[in-house]
Structure formats: C-alpha cells, structure tokens
C-alpha cells in the first residue's frame, strides 16, 4: 500500500511539475492570510514575499472600500505611512552617491535660512543625524495631527517649504522652542522624528533644484520601475486606492468598518506615499542586491553598506539609515523573530511593515488599511504574518 501511494505521488509530481505544488502551497498561504486578516479585524491588505532578491509572491485580501464592497487587488494602492521614510532616505542617499553631499555636512550649508536647536545654537546638525533620528528635532504631535486634512480630505494645501519655515524658524507660526526641539545635544540621543524626515524632503528639493515629489519620480521611481508610487492624490489618475478604515464593534458583534477620507499633510515626505507591495518590493530588492536594479548599478556597494550600517551606536545600537534592527522594540519579539532591518508605518486607517535579510535576500511586506487595535491584532500582523512570509521566502530560495 505504501509503495502504491508513493507511486501515485510520483505520478502527480511528474505530471503537474513544480507549478502544481507551488499552486497548492500558495492556496495554503491564501487561506492563512484570509483567516488571519479576519482575526486581526483588518478590512483589507496586501502582502509580498521577496526571496533571494526577487519578488516571488503577492497576495491581496479583503476590501479596499468595505462599505461599498470593493475588493483589494494586486494593483490597489495603499497609503504606507512611515514605511515611506526609507524611500525618502533613498532620495537623499542618491544625492550622496553622486557626490553632491557628504553625510556629515552641516545641513545649513544647503538651506536658504538657518535651522538650529535653540538649546544648542552653535551645534552642527548633519544629514546623518536627520537620517538616523538623532537631530534633536522633536515632533509636536498634536500640532502635526491638526494639520491633517481629515475633514475635507485630499492633499494638504500647504507647500512643504512653508511647513518647514513655520516649524523651524523663530518667526514661524508653529515655532515652539520647547515642543519642537529636544533638550539634548544633536547626535547624542536617538528620538524618532517625523519633522526631521520632512526636512530631508525639503533638503532634497534645495539640492536637486526640483520639487521633492518630482525629483523622486524622475530619479528614484522611474529608474526602479516603480510605476505605481505617488506622493499626492492629485497625481493618481484612477480610483484603485484603498481607503483608510476604522474597525467598528457592532451591537450583534459582527465585524464592521467605516472609511475615512483620503487625507494628506504638509510634512508629506515622512509618510504620505501611496503605492502597492509590488512597487515597494523593488526598494527591498535594491537593498538586498547591493544597489543593483535589473543587474544594473543604481547605487554603489559603498552607499548600500552605509545605508544599512548602524550610524550612532552610542545613541542607539540598532538604528541604521531609516531602517532599524530593533523596530519592534520588544525583547520577547526578538526571542521568536530574527533581528532584521525593518520599518513600520502607522496612521489613521494605515498599518504597514517591511522587513528583510540583506544576507539571504529574503524579505516580507504587508500593507493594511486598518489599524490593529488590540494585542491579538498586533501579534497577528507584526509577528505571525511577517513570520509566515519570511518562512515562505526561505522555502522559495
């Protein structure tokens, strides 16, 4: 009986080949994600596997507009919140790769006005500090949230330069010496800074002579083949954009969601990119393929090594340029998961994560249109789903 079963399995394998087996495994992966999505109370999501430096799988589940019963597909755009930061950093690192800046340059050498921490007015603030969150610039979170276009929706009408001036210059309407700046010397303490990354976007504008969004489109997105990446809603010529969702607990305990307006904010380089996992995978591929795109050099190996190197070990032993080797900041998480360069993104109706292994070329990406709102949801999204994708990546090597 055993030999007969083996013979049947041999016939199935030789008849259908590896494709048949892969389809069966993909079906299991689909079932896993659909089941976990529902348990995590996420309206819709996309996920991707990068294996040995190649995009090998994409899955799309749930609804991009739940009240109107519109499904997510592989082309659906998601707002990705702070997972935008490695891409913003990539824009600046391209200028570094071309020799147009040095990472330890004083940023004020490239600005039309001077920006300092009023607590340390004579201390130089460098590009490296901005990229590694040690600039001593502080987020006034209530102010930043107040500038989101939640009520009316759409892109923010405030230009990036106006925001920078209002926030960092003493005459600016949002300037606050206590709320906008830390009381620590630049370069000595790591403190995550959205406004620091907004300033990176503005510096890219000043150095390149182009609007940040235009520079990114011409110098980053086009060369990488990211044809579905947009900083502004006004530039998207279709409606296949996932709406941000909020989970609503109904009286009969059935899962329900409400949608929010598509929104924007003036400090957009820190988190307003809309794209899909297939396009974002090209950024991960760049990271694990030593700066190559389609076997053509895009960034030098030296630049890529700098990108992934911990920048200020005395301030934070895990913080590289944008990517962090301790992104989940939980010792228990790292008992169960590998310590990899990663980034997450959180905003109203947005939860994203990207993680990759530069040594194996494997990576995982998840874009969700609903914030997880309890421990169970957090565990499913950031651990169980990521773990399954990394396992799948290893299997496909």
């Amino acid at each position: 009986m055993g030999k007969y079963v083996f013979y049947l399995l041999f016939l199935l394998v030789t008849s259908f080949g590896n494709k048949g087996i892969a389809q069966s495994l993909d079906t299991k992966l689909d079932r896993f994600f659909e089941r976990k999505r529902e348990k995590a109370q996420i309206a819709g999501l996309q996920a991707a596997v990068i294996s040995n430096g190649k995009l090998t799988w994409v899955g799309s589940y749930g609804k991009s507009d739940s009240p109107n019963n519109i499904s997510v597909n592989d082309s659906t755009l998601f707002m990705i919140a702070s997972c935008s930061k490695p891409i913003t950093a990539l824009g600046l690192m391209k200028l570094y790769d071309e020799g147009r800046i040095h990472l330890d340059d004083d940023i004020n050498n490239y600005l039309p006005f001077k920006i300092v921490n009023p607590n340390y007015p004579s201390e130089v603030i460098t590009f490296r500090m901005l990229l590694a969150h040690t600039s001593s610039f502080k987020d006034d979170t209530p102010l930043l949230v107040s500038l989101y276009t939640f009520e009316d929706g759409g892109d923010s009408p405030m230009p990036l330069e106006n925001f920078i001036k209002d926030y960092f210059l003493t005459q600016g309407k949002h300037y606050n010496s206590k709320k906008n700046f830390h009381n620590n010397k630049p370069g000595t303490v790591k403190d995550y800074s959205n406004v620091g990354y907004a300033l990176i976007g503005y510096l890219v504008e000043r150095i390149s002579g182009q609007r940040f969004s235009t520079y990114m489109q011409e110098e980053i997105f086009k060369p990488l083949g990211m044809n579905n990446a947009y900083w502004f809603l006004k530039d998207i010529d279709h409606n296949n954009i996932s709406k941000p969702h909020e989970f609503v607990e109904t009286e009969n305990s059935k899962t329900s969601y409400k949608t929010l307006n598509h929104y924007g904010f003036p400090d957009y380089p820190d988190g307003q990119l809309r794209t899909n996992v297939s396009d974002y995978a090209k950024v991960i591929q760049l990271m694990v393929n030593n700066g190559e795109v389609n076997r053509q050099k895009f960034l030098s190996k030296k630049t890529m090594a700098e990108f992934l190197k911990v920048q200020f070990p005395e301030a934070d032993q895990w913080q590289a340029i944008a990517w962090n080797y301790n992104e989940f900041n939980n010792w228990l998480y790292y008992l169960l998961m590998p310590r990899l360069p990663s980034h997450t993104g959180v905003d109203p109706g947005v939860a994203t994560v990207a993680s990759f292994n530069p040594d194996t070329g494997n990576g995982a990406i998840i874009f969700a249109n609903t914030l997880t709102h309890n421990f169970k949801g957090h565990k499913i999204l950031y651990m169980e789903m990521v773990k399954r994708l990394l396992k799948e990546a290893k299997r496909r090597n």
Side-chain angles (χ1 to χ4, degrees):
M1 183 67 177
K3 289 182 179 179
Y4 180 67
V5 171
F6 177 82
Y7 178 67
L8 283 177
L9 289 172
F10 175 78
L11 286 177
L12 286 171
V13 170
T14 54
S15 296
F16 296 100
N18 290 332
K19 185 177 180 181
I21 295 173
Q23 287 176 338
S24 174
L25 290 169
D26 286 354
T27 300
K28 289 182 179 179
L29 199 56
D30 289 333
R31 287 200 295 265
F32 169 86
F33 271 94
E34 190 53 55
R35 183 174 71 254
K36 293 296 183 180
R37 179 193 67 79
E38 291 179 356
K39 287 185 177 181
Q41 296 172 325
I42 294 170
L45 64 82
Q46 280 179 347
V49 168
I50 295 93
S51 186
N52 195 25
K54 297 178 181 178
L55 177 64
T56 58
W57 177 85
V58 172
S60 300
Y61 309 95
K63 303 299 179 182
S64 65
D65 183 343
S66 189
N68 290 309
N69 199 33
I70 300 173
S71 297
V72 176
N73 59 53
D74 292 353
S75 298
T76 302
L77 304 180
F78 283 72
M79 192 172 188
I80 65 171
S82 285
C83 274
S84 306
K85 286 184 175 68
I87 298 180
T88 293
L90 185 58
L92 186 62
M93 292 302 284
K94 185 74 165 68
L95 295 170
Y96 163 75
D97 193 74
E98 294 169 352
R100 299 174 71 177
I101 66 164
H102 297 288
L103 295 184
D104 295 312
D105 286 348
D106 184 342
I107 61 171
N108 286 304
N109 294 339
Y110 301 85
L111 292 170
F113 40 75
K114 192 169 185 178
I115 294 178
V116 298
N117 181 332
N119 301 305
Y120 296 89
S122 61
E123 290 294 326
V124 169
I125 296 170
T126 68
F127 292 107
R128 193 187 301 275
M129 293 174 188
L130 290 176
L131 289 163
H133 297 288
T134 64
S135 63
S136 77
F137 295 148
K138 185 178 182 181
D139 290 340
D140 180 354
T141 301
L143 167 69
L144 298 181
V145 171
S146 74
L147 298 176
Y148 281 50
T149 63
F150 289 129
E151 187 173 346
D152 298 326
D155 301 318
S156 171
M158 182 185 296
L160 177 60
E161 182 176 40
N162 289 26
F163 170 80
I164 296 299
K165 289 179 177 179
D166 284 347
Y167 197 90
F168 288 106
L169 302 188
T170 54
Q171 67 271 29
K173 64 180 178 180
H174 300 311
Y175 183 85
N176 187 305
S177 61
K178 294 182 179 179
K179 293 182 178 180
N180 297 6
F181 303 91
H182 287 288
N183 192 25
N184 49 259
K185 184 178 175 180
T188 62
V189 176
K190 184 267 178 104
D191 199 286
Y192 190 86
S193 176
N194 285 292
V195 293
Y197 265 75
L199 181 54
I200 289 173
Y202 180 63
L203 282 159
V204 169
E205 288 192 347
R206 297 297 306 179
I207 298 161
S208 68
Q210 298 175 285
R211 288 185 62 192
F212 174 72
S213 58
T214 303
Y215 171 84
M216 295 298 291
Q217 181 66 36
E218 296 297 323
E219 301 298 328
I220 305 297
F221 298 159
K222 282 186 179 179
L224 293 182
M226 296 175 66
N227 301 317
N228 301 285
Y230 306 90
W231 292 102
F232 296 113
L233 288 161
K234 64 181 178 59
D235 295 328
I236 305 173
D237 61 359
H238 60 78
N239 294 317
N240 191 12
I241 314 168
S242 180
K243 285 193 171 181
H245 287 66
E246 287 185 352
F247 173 75
V248 178
E249 190 73 64
T250 59
E251 291 183 4
N252 56 9
S253 296
K254 285 188 176 182
T255 300
S256 181
Y257 304 93
K258 71 174 184 178
T259 57
L260 308 175
N261 287 327
H262 290 301
Y263 56 83
F265 36 85
D267 49 319
Y268 73 92
D270 67 38
Q272 194 176 281
L273 192 69
R274 289 178 173 87
T275 188
N276 54 43
V277 293
S278 297
D279 267 29
Y280 201 90
K282 293 168 183 175
V283 176
I284 305 299
Q285 289 173 272
L286 183 72
M287 296 292 155
V288 301
N289 290 327
N290 291 315
E292 290 189 355
V293 180
N294 299 323
R295 299 185 179 180
Q296 298 293 317
K297 188 184 81 167
F298 182 72
L299 294 176
S300 69
K301 288 184 179 180
K302 178 183 176 182
T303 296
M304 297 314 301
E306 191 68 54
F307 216 125
L308 297 175
K309 185 179 78 175
V310 172
Q311 296 295 312
F312 293 89
E314 298 83 5
D316 189 297
Q317 63 177 319
W318 307 115
Q319 182 65 56
I321 288 177
W323 305 106
N324 193 292
Y325 293 81
N326 189 40
E327 180 70 9
F328 302 97
N329 196 28
N330 185 301
W331 66 271
L332 181 59
Y333 182 93
Y334 290 107
L335 287 177
L336 304 170
M337 296 288 287
R339 193 178 289 280
L340 302 175
S342 305
H343 214 294
T344 54
V346 172
D347 251 330
V350 179
T352 58
V353 56
S355 188
F356 62 94
N357 187 328
D359 297 325
T360 64
N362 296 343
I365 307 168
I366 304 170
F367 294 165
N369 62 12
T370 316
L371 275 176
T372 50
H373 59 94
N374 54 32
F375 176 78
K376 180 180 179 181
H378 303 332
K379 179 174 177 288
I380 289 172
L381 176 61
Y382 298 110
M383 181 177 285
E384 294 178 17
M385 288 185 178
V386 172
K387 186 176 183 179
R388 182 61 184 267
L389 290 172
L390 293 173
K391 180 181 178 182
E392 182 66 18
K394 185 177 180 180
R395 184 188 70 78
R396 290 169 180 260
N397 265 350

